[in-house]
Amino acid sequence: MNMAADSDPESEVFEITDFTTASEWERFVSRVEEMLNDWKLMGNSGGNMSPEKGEYTSGTWEEKSQDINFADFKFYITHHFLKQEYGKDDGKDKLEEDAFPLAMQDLLCMNNDFPPRAHCLVRWYGIREFVVISPGTNCEAIISESKCNLLLSSISISLANSGCQVPVFVQIQQKWRRMYAGECQGPGVRTDFEMVHLRKVPNQYNHLSGLLDIFKSKIGCTLSPLPPVNIAIRFTYILQDWQQYSWPQQPPDFDTLLGGEVGGVEFGKLPFGACEEPISELHLATTWPHLTEGIVVDNDVYSDLDPLQAPHWSVRVRTAENPQCLLGDFLTEFFKLCCRKESTEEILGRGLAEEEGKENNDISCALSKLTEPAATVPISKMSVSNMVHSARKHIRRHRHIDESPLNSDILNSVLLYLFPDAAVEKSSDNSKDKTAQSNAWGKADQDKNDNNLFLQLKSAPSDSLTYRLALCVCLVNYNHGGLRAVAHLWQEFVLELRYRWENNYLIYGLTGGPPDLRCCLLHQKLQMLNCCIERKRARDEARKFLEGSKERERRVWGGCQNVRPIPESSTAMTVSTSTKEVSPGKSWDSWSDSDDEFFECLSDQGEIEVAHTQGESKAEGRLHPYNNMTLLNSMEPLYVPVTQEPAPMTEDLLEEQSEVLAKLGTSAEGTHLRARMQSACLLSDMESFKAANPGCVLEDFVRWYSPRDYVKEEVADERGNTVVKGELSARMKIPGNMWVEAWETARVTPARRQRRLFDDTKEAEKVLHYLALQKPADLTRHLLPCILHAAILKLKEEESIEDIPSVKQSIKQATCQASKLLQPPNHDYKKLEDFINQLMSMETVITQARSLKAKFAICEGVKGEGTEELEKFVSSLLEEPEVVVTGAGQGPAGSIIHRLFVSAQRLADFTSDEAALLAPLEDDLGRDRRLTGGSNKVSDFPSPAGREILLRTCIPRPAPYSRALPQRLFCVLMREEFRLAGALSSDTSFF
């Protein structure tokens, strides 16, 4: 320090060294105090109220956590506490100044010994509130003794400074050892929590006598006689060997699934159940809750602790981790297909694809020839179905039996299951009847509540072809060749659909009418194809009827004028192809897509045709008079015309159409074009109306088609009489009205001669092309809603047998979740995967319940003595962490558990071959043993897997004149673990 600095008073401030700077240790102590203060843990935090019996299990445990640092070492400080109903202020007035801390009172409380589900410190010390300081994640364990002591001294100071009476623990040693050291301070009292942890049980402490010696020496009481030590003992026995009891559901024999008669029992059903035992272990805890020293003997030569005599039994089951379950496996494997990229051609081989390509070329040639105005080749020789069938034979000839992805027997069985009407000779009449039947297929045994499940999931009805196809694809994928087999089945399925389209056979198992937009797109496509087949059949039948009636007319009247002339545009075709030339079931104009194509139709009611004498006008395509109305310009009745049905559409076509309409914009031209597109049906109906009602005007059409647009009012005529006068509504009179324009352009053409609104040929080919292009992954995506629908139905069915409330609730929630997941156009595959895992967990619970019912001999429909009690016991095992066995070893459940252990012990003494030859254990044998308490009773049970011994007393410590304080030692003896958890209290006022 120089003189200049000395003379400058300000500079002296900077030279002062502050020796009061807090060290890291002091900061840590201060931070712990701060946390205890924040959590309001100062002073005594509760009254003298003891926790209720079982409250540690049934109550709610909560925790708060915070980071805390010691220098650069990170710790977590966590406050664990049991949330209790009564407020913390209750009983404050009654507290004596020097009352014991709550934790010290808990050390002696017997209401919650051995809680089945609690923090290990709760089990060992019985405390309901405590704080734990543990090393942070990825931080090394506190192993050195000096560091442990430093932490414990920090805690001791924090507790003393804050006045906190909640015990605080520090986790030391490696985390897996669960070693804690801690302290609890109260007014003039302190409890130290210490622990011993060894790998092996020392011989001298392998029984109650040795442990009592440790306890007595540790508390070091000089009083004589010593106050009694209260003892609670729990032995846990593990039953792992279930082999002697048959597993309740054998996995089905997959070889027979697709064999036998058509529609065999296993068809249309998803498999269910575990392939392995879903309950891995049964843990029996036998407890002696209140013993005192001298009542029971347990030393190195003899033990009174016979599990059959224990007053209290409780059981818990350990379930197998993710046991293999059939339904879950089927769903998972099916779901995996959604992510595959290969096309059918790539899967079934390039060679095969090339062969098919040649055949397809032939087919396209046939198509081009058929669509030419005049067919130069006889149609019968170039029919598409012939081409397809020759292609089919070609494929089978080139595909070796070994290479065929799907066994031909299995393929035939699947196709017969999907198309059962194929087993019957296909005639048009027969096919008609079959379709009528198919609409009610399988509905008889379907649960009414499940009828609308397909609407929620956007799948397909559970009696439909689509639903059955989903089940078959799932089955074939899992059992009969995976992806290649699925591709093969799909190829054959599409070929079958083409065959049906070309031969006018309706597709079995689909309801009639237009596509149901509430179902999945694939189902809509199949319905669309059925619509096409129905329309083509109706047209062909009408043509045959007309030609037949023309023949009759020619024969009867020769060239009479009443015969309706054949339309010019169809003359060439009609003349060039007689009925005999058309291939079986082939429509005469089904391959014509030209603009001049006409529509032949005949209504079910029949048409009324009238030849008029005046002029050449002639009414065509009449159904029946309409409400006794007459035409405005003549006295002729107004007739309802035969009209074309509007074109059915699938949701993708509707979307496509709406996009096209939207793109037309709002310009005048765009609006006009949009109106023209939308009024195709209106125009057709106007033309039919004009044909049925010669001389009619637009007002006549409006009176029938849209009565609200024809306004009637009463007016007076020249003579003063009131007459009813009618005119078009205001909107009909707007200049440029679409109806007026359409009426002017509409020709007089009956429905049968109009261009078809619905071109069934074109639409059917579009559907078949769409289906043929679907990759197996696309197919599984289409069918996913159906398979999840089937899985939910299966779970419902299986749950109803077992009656598990938690699963019933889960299925309800799953259904709501699935309806959200399956509605949008693009599925979220991550969420769907999670959803499938949920379904699998439900299946697991049901199989666990089934397994337990079999073990406890609960048979469906058999109500014996104690059956209800057993059922309640079994259902509780899956819902609760630990279930009390009523009547301990003497009750109905206890007897069965005893028998299970005896059987397992017998098996343990023999090899598996010898065990198989053993006579079954008779009930009487078990009963005799129990009643007589025979000499071999100990061997009924294996040696306990775990022994827990809890010793408690209240004695003065450390001096005879100190206050009597609670002392506790919890001992755990296992095959590879020996733990002593001691809570030793001492009087800090007098020692």
Side-chain angles (χ1 to χ4, degrees):
M1 199 187 298
N2 57 26
M3 294 301 291
D6 269 350
S7 62
D8 185 358
E10 282 188 18
S11 67
E12 287 179 23
V13 176
F14 297 103
E15 295 297 326
I16 294 168
T17 305
D18 183 6
F19 290 103
T20 61
T21 307
S23 66
E24 292 292 355
W25 177 69
E26 287 170 309
R27 283 202 192 100
F28 178 70
V29 171
S30 167
R31 186 82 182 103
V32 172
E33 283 177 43
E34 198 180 307
M35 291 312 305
L36 296 176
N37 199 18
D38 285 353
W39 289 335
K40 299 183 173 57
L41 302 181
M42 322 306 264
N44 197 347
S45 57
N48 294 316
M49 200 175 292
S50 295
E52 297 291 320
K53 193 162 183 64
E55 193 177 349
Y56 283 9
T57 307
S58 59
T60 309
W61 285 89
E62 292 189 357
E63 58 182 73
K64 295 180 219 164
S65 229
Q66 191 74 43
D67 292 348
I68 187 169
N69 283 29
F70 192 128
D72 57 353
F73 194 94
K74 188 177 174 188
F75 287 96
Y76 287 130
I77 181 166
T78 310
H79 176 215
H80 298 263
F81 57 98
L82 177 68
K83 197 174 176 189
Q84 291 180 291
E85 292 304 313
Y86 48 84
K88 285 201 169 184
D89 295 336
D90 290 3
K92 271 273 168 86
D93 303 337
K94 302 172 196 168
L95 286 181
E96 299 166 23
E97 280 194 22
D98 57 352
F100 293 161
L102 207 58
M104 288 176 76
Q105 298 169 39
D106 289 345
L107 292 177
L108 295 180
C109 178
M110 295 182 185
N111 285 343
N112 287 282
D113 291 348
F114 313 113
R117 192 165 46 191
H119 191 287
C120 57
L121 290 171
V122 176
R123 191 173 183 86
W124 296 334
Y125 296 119
I127 48 181
R128 71 185 99 163
E129 185 174 25
F130 56 96
V131 173
V132 177
I133 298 175
S134 53
T137 320
N138 303 326
C139 289
E140 61 196 46
I142 310 298
I143 295 172
S144 77
E145 199 172 335
S146 59
K147 282 184 181 173
C148 293
N149 290 337
L150 183 64
L151 279 172
L152 283 168
S153 60
S154 308
I155 284 161
S156 207
I157 292 168
S158 302
L159 289 172
N161 290 348
S162 63
C164 170
Q165 295 189 15
V166 172
V168 178
F169 293 86
V170 180
Q171 186 170 13
I172 55 177
Q173 307 297 334
Q174 294 87 347
K175 285 191 178 177
W176 63 265
R177 294 183 69 180
R178 297 192 299 169
M179 287 281 284
Y180 296 88
E183 191 174 312
C184 175
Q185 291 187 15
V189 290
R190 187 180 79 229
T191 301
D192 292 300
F193 298 94
E194 301 168 2
M195 222 168 265
V196 172
H197 182 242
L198 304 173
R199 271 290 174 85
K200 292 285 178 193
V201 182
N203 284 341
Q204 68 270 38
Y205 305 131
N206 199 10
H207 39 73
L208 178 61
S209 307
L211 295 168
L212 275 167
D213 291 342
I214 291 182
F215 187 49
K216 287 173 187 171
S217 67
K218 196 70 186 164
I219 56 181
C221 183
T222 53
L223 289 183
S224 184
L226 189 70
V229 175
N230 180 286
I231 304 167
I233 298 176
R234 171 171 288 208
F235 284 6
T236 301
Y237 297 90
I238 296 179
L239 179 69
Q240 290 173 308
D241 195 349
W242 301 92
Q243 291 168 9
Q244 71 277 22
Y245 280 81
S246 63
W247 163 231
Q249 178 186 316
Q250 294 300 330
D253 177 3
F254 293 121
D255 296 337
T256 62
L257 278 188
L258 293 168
E261 60 183 301
V262 178
V265 184
E266 295 295 340
F267 264 126
K269 289 185 180 177
L270 283 173
F272 189 89
C275 295
E276 56 188 293
E277 176 55 67
I279 306 287
S280 59
E281 293 175 352
L282 180 135
H283 293 206
L284 167 67
T286 60
T287 309
W288 292 263
H290 303 293
L291 298 173
T292 47
E293 192 182 355
I295 286 181
V296 67
V297 177
D298 179 46
N299 54 36
D300 52 356
V301 291
Y302 176 79
S303 175
D304 281 335
L305 300 171
D306 171 16
L308 272 181
Q309 306 306 320
H312 188 277
W313 276 23
S314 57
V315 172
R316 66 167 73 201
V317 290
R318 192 157 164 219
T319 54
E321 217 170 302
N322 302 325
Q324 187 191 0
C325 289
L326 290 170
L327 179 64
D329 282 3
F330 265 63
L331 292 180
T332 309
E333 288 305 313
F334 184 83
F335 185 68
K336 282 180 188 170
L337 287 183
C338 293
C339 305
R340 300 298 291 260
K341 301 279 189 288
E342 302 91 327
S343 68
T344 307
E345 285 184 1
E346 287 166 349
I347 294 161
L348 296 178
R350 195 162 293 284
L352 172 62
E354 283 165 10
E355 291 293 343
E356 279 181 355
K358 284 179 190 170
E359 299 292 350
N360 288 339
N361 287 340
D362 294 343
I363 291 170
S364 58
C365 291
L367 284 171
S368 62
K369 283 190 168 66
L370 283 167
T371 49
E372 285 169 12
T376 53
V377 180
I379 289 176
S380 58
K381 289 181 184 171
M382 287 301 291
S383 81
V384 174
S385 58
N386 284 353
M387 298 307 307
V388 171
H389 281 88
S390 68
R392 243 180 181 169
K393 285 172 196 157
H394 206 71
I395 291 164
R396 291 193 182 122
R397 201 165 53 243
H398 282 264
R399 188 190 286 157
H400 297 299
I401 293 167
D402 308 345
E403 294 171 7
S404 181
L406 199 50
N407 175 300
S408 58
D409 291 343
I410 290 165
L411 176 62
N412 289 334
S413 299
V414 171
L415 289 173
L416 277 178
Y417 167 67
L418 293 172
F419 302 102
D421 56 333
V424 185
E425 188 188 348
K426 288 178 182 157
S427 70
S428 295
D429 300 335
N430 193 284
S431 187
K432 234 181 194 172
D433 300 341
K434 276 283 172 190
T435 308
Q437 290 169 21
S438 72
N439 297 348
W441 191 86
K443 276 193 178 163
D445 43 331
Q446 194 178 332
D447 189 346
K448 284 178 186 174
N449 300 334
D450 298 330
N451 278 348
N452 294 325
L453 185 59
F454 77 92
L455 300 179
Q456 291 178 51
L457 305 180
K458 199 169 172 60
S459 64
S462 53
D463 56 347
S464 65
L465 173 63
T466 319
Y467 183 91
R468 285 179 283 141
L469 175 66
L471 294 173
C472 288
V473 168
C474 195
L475 190 71
V476 161
N477 174 53
Y478 190 78
N479 285 327
H480 301 287
L483 184 67
R484 294 188 74 233
V486 169
H488 185 187
L489 172 60
W490 179 239
Q491 187 188 57
E492 293 288 341
F493 183 83
V494 175
L495 283 172
E496 177 65 28
L497 293 182
R498 179 169 281 287
Y499 178 81
R500 283 169 177 263
W501 155 245
E502 287 163 14
N503 292 279
N504 281 12
Y505 299 130
L506 287 169
I507 301 164
Y508 184 89
L510 296 172
T511 49
D516 187 344
L517 302 179
R518 302 169 302 174
C519 296
C520 64
L521 183 59
L522 184 68
H523 188 73
Q524 293 177 40
K525 292 285 182 189
L526 296 177
Q527 283 184 307
M528 183 66 136
L529 189 57
N530 233 14
C531 286
C532 296
I533 296 169
E534 275 180 12
R535 294 280 176 101
K536 191 169 80 162
R537 283 175 64 159
R539 210 169 62 252
D540 288 355
E541 282 169 18
R543 181 179 57 78
K544 282 175 191 167
F545 178 83
L546 282 169
E547 287 185 353
S549 63
K550 281 174 193 169
E551 280 298 322
R552 282 196 301 278
E553 284 170 7
R554 279 199 198 97
R555 280 201 301 273
V556 176
W557 286 303
C560 177
Q561 294 252 327
N562 279 352
V563 177
R564 187 176 57 194
I566 297 165
E568 282 178 27
S569 56
S570 62
T571 307
M573 195 159 191
T574 312
V575 170
S576 67
T577 59
S578 70
T579 317
K580 289 177 186 173
E581 283 180 274
V582 180
S583 64
K586 196 58 79 264
S587 163
W588 64 288
D589 62 350
S590 65
W591 297 109
S592 167
D593 283 334
S594 68
D595 285 346
D596 298 325
E597 177 195 339
F598 294 107
F599 182 90
E600 285 284 354
C601 77
L602 192 71
S603 77
D604 293 340
Q605 292 92 342
E607 296 178 33
I608 305 164
E609 294 192 19
V610 183
H612 290 263
T613 48
Q614 67 269 29
E616 285 299 309
S617 65
K618 177 181 71 170
E620 289 184 89
R622 286 177 170 181
L623 273 183
H624 54 79
Y626 180 66
N627 292 353
N628 297 325
M629 279 189 188
T630 55
L631 298 177
L632 294 172
N633 294 348
S634 71
M635 293 310 290
E636 287 290 320
L638 190 151
Y639 280 91
V640 174
V642 174
T643 55
Q644 292 193 54
E645 286 181 37
M649 297 191 99
T650 54
E651 63 186 31
D652 58 333
L653 293 177
L654 280 168
E655 209 171 298
E656 208 175 283
Q657 190 187 58
S658 61
E659 278 177 20
V660 169
L661 292 173
K663 280 176 185 169
L664 290 172
T666 52
S667 66
E669 190 183 346
T671 308
H672 185 75
L673 195 55
R674 188 184 298 110
R676 286 296 299 270
M677 282 177 69
Q678 289 173 318
S679 64
C681 192
L682 176 69
L683 187 66
S684 163
D685 291 344
M686 283 179 170
E687 292 186 342
S688 300
F689 188 83
K690 279 186 174 182
N693 298 286
C696 63
V697 290
L698 175 60
E699 284 83 349
D700 289 319
F701 177 75
V702 170
R703 284 161 69 207
W704 164 62
Y705 207 78
S706 178
R708 284 186 306 172
D709 282 308
Y710 189 73
V711 184
K712 292 179 182 177
E713 57 179 346
E714 292 181 351
V715 290
D717 62 2
E718 300 96 19
R719 295 177 186 173
N721 298 329
T722 305
V723 290
V724 177
K725 188 184 176 189
E727 60 178 356
L728 293 174
S729 65
R731 73 174 186 141
M732 285 291 179
K733 291 178 178 175
I734 295 169
N737 181 285
M738 210 45 235
W739 284 50
V740 177
E741 284 187 17
W743 182 259
E744 285 166 6
T745 56
R747 296 175 297 180
V748 181
T749 317
R752 70 158 111 17
R753 287 211 305 276
Q754 291 172 13
R755 183 164 186 265
R756 280 185 272 165
L757 285 177
F758 176 59
D759 186 341
D760 50 63
T761 309
K762 186 173 162 189
E763 292 303 325
E765 285 301 331
K766 273 166 71 176
V767 169
L768 288 166
H769 180 67
Y770 175 86
L771 296 178
L773 286 181
Q774 298 300 298
K775 296 175 179 178
D778 302 325
L779 172 65
T780 46
R781 281 195 282 268
H782 280 304
L783 294 176
L784 192 60
C786 293
I787 216 71
L788 293 179
H789 175 187
I792 289 171
L793 285 184
K794 187 69 180 172
L795 283 167
K796 275 188 171 183
E797 178 195 328
E798 299 291 337
E799 184 281 324
S800 65
I801 299 168
E802 305 306 332
D803 191 26
I804 310 164
S806 62
V807 176
K808 194 183 272 1
Q809 188 57 35
S810 299
I811 292 172
K812 271 187 189 171
Q813 290 166 353
T815 308
C816 297
Q817 195 182 344
S819 64
K820 289 172 191 161
L821 286 176
L822 296 170
Q823 287 301 338
N826 299 316
H827 297 150
D828 183 332
Y829 287 100
K830 182 71 193 83
K831 284 183 181 171
L832 278 169
E833 193 175 353
D834 295 342
F835 177 73
I836 288 172
N837 290 333
Q838 280 179 44
L839 298 184
M840 287 162 73
S841 65
M842 287 180 232
E843 179 187 19
T844 304
V845 173
I846 294 170
T847 57
Q848 287 163 357
R850 202 160 277 175
S851 171
L852 286 171
K853 280 188 179 180
K855 306 293 182 288
F856 287 93
I858 300 169
C859 304
E860 198 61 38
V862 180
K863 294 278 179 194
E865 189 186 343
T867 305
E868 276 183 35
E869 194 182 314
L870 277 175
E871 280 181 352
K872 191 179 174 190
F873 172 74
V874 167
S875 61
S876 303
L877 275 175
L878 291 172
E879 306 280 336
E880 297 168 25
E882 194 167 280
V883 182
V884 172
V885 180
T886 312
Q890 318 303 321
S895 306
I896 293 170
I897 294 165
H898 177 211
R899 205 157 51 232
L900 288 168
F901 272 103
V902 173
S903 303
Q905 283 302 96
R906 290 173 82 218
L907 285 170
D909 297 336
F910 297 94
T911 65
S912 56
D913 294 337
E914 290 169 332
L917 299 171
L918 282 178
L921 179 68
E922 295 299 327
D923 291 350
D924 298 338
L925 170 65
R927 196 155 45 242
D928 291 345
R929 279 191 181 187
R930 200 163 61 245
L931 297 174
T932 56
S935 59
N936 56 357
K937 65 185 175 183
V938 181
S939 66
D940 286 5
F941 291 87
S943 55
R947 287 172 291 161
E948 293 166 291
I949 297 171
L950 175 50
L951 307 174
R952 278 179 284 225
T953 191
C954 199
I955 55 136
R957 202 175 161 268
Y961 50 81
S962 301
R963 273 188 293 178
L965 298 173
Q967 318 294 331
R968 174 180 173 123
L969 180 67
F970 192 92
C971 320
V972 181
L973 289 77
M974 292 165 74
R975 185 174 291 168
E976 293 193 351
E977 182 180 354
F978 174 71
R979 184 188 300 273
L980 300 178
L984 304 170
S985 311
S986 47
D987 186 337
T988 52
S989 303
F990 303 102
F991 51 84

